[in-house]
Amino acid sequence: MDRRVVAVQAEEDDMVRQRQRQRQLVRERGRRIKVAAELGLARSSSGGRQWGRALGRRALLLRKGPATAALSSSTLLLETSAGQESKQGKAMEGEAEQEEEEEEEEEEVMVDEKVAVLRQLVPGGEAMAVERLLDETADYIAALRAQVGVMRALACLLSGLGSPPEKEISVTPEKPI
């Protein structure tokens, strides 16, 4: 009876180890796919865009290992929290002007927060001027669309479903940005 328990327990241990190996292989495969996708996107950036160079650097860090990439990618996320200023009592005269100025200031703060988030989303965007950031963003979105189309086509091809309709794998944006 003890031998059966030991044998069952050994089988369970083997199954647990096998599942752990499979998970590690899946994580490694996912990391390699991410590196390849980012390197491909970086290489496709037209005119040596700054986001392309930043993606290339990040992909090379990922290639070295997930621990190295985790340190550098921690700077890519930005949490913004907007504190609202309390409104104090206003005098009757000039109240409309004051409200208008406050609305403009609030709008400016909102725009600044959105630009800060956008800087974090576009690789290499942290040091760009707003005009350049918007230009880079438009180009980055177009490249991401193209990458999604290519990845969809690859997924269909690899899954044995054949090729999706041409519209889905188009690598050029439907509307000019």
Side-chain angles (χ1 to χ4, degrees):
M1 191 79 152
D2 291 334
R3 289 182 183 177
R4 288 182 189 169
V5 171
V6 171
V8 168
Q9 192 172 15
E11 284 181 30
E12 288 176 0
D13 290 345
D14 286 342
M15 288 174 52
V16 167
R17 280 191 290 270
Q18 187 177 10
R19 280 189 217 126
Q20 287 175 342
R21 279 189 296 249
Q22 287 174 344
R23 285 187 198 126
Q24 287 174 339
L25 289 173
V26 167
R27 275 191 229 114
E28 179 63 21
R29 189 178 307 137
R31 188 182 69 75
R32 287 181 180 190
I33 289 170
K34 182 176 180 168
V35 167
E38 287 194 355
L39 277 174
L41 192 58
R43 288 181 182 147
S44 73
S45 68
S46 59
R49 294 295 205 163
Q50 190 160 345
W51 63 261
R53 290 190 298 273
L55 267 182
R57 286 190 299 270
R58 189 167 73 190
L60 290 175
L61 285 174
L62 279 172
R63 213 181 233 184
K64 291 179 182 177
T68 310
L71 293 173
S72 66
S73 66
S74 64
T75 61
L76 296 175
L77 299 175
L78 173 70
E79 296 181 37
T80 58
S81 60
Q84 293 189 355
E85 298 176 10
S86 62
K87 296 181 181 178
Q88 298 178 352
K90 303 173 189 174
M92 293 296 265
E93 294 178 17
E95 189 172 309
E97 278 184 25
Q98 238 177 353
E99 285 180 8
E100 190 175 307
E101 287 177 9
E102 286 179 3
E103 287 176 8
E104 287 176 6
E105 287 176 13
E106 287 176 11
E107 188 176 315
E108 194 173 312
V109 168
M110 285 176 38
V111 168
D112 288 344
E113 289 173 357
K114 290 179 181 180
V115 167
V117 170
L118 189 60
R119 286 182 195 283
Q120 297 304 309
L121 292 174
V122 176
E126 295 86 10
M128 288 184 210
V130 176
E131 297 82 17
R132 173 99 189 260
L133 177 66
L134 294 174
D135 184 46
E136 292 276 338
T137 301
D139 191 59
Y140 184 53
I141 290 171
L144 286 173
R145 279 185 180 168
Q147 185 182 32
V148 167
V150 169
M151 293 180 97
R152 279 184 183 158
L154 279 172
C156 286
L157 184 69
L158 294 174
S159 68
L161 297 176
S163 176
E166 287 297 318
K167 185 177 181 183
E168 288 187 35
I169 62 168
S170 172
V171 292
T172 58
E174 295 174 9
K175 296 177 184 177
I177 297 177

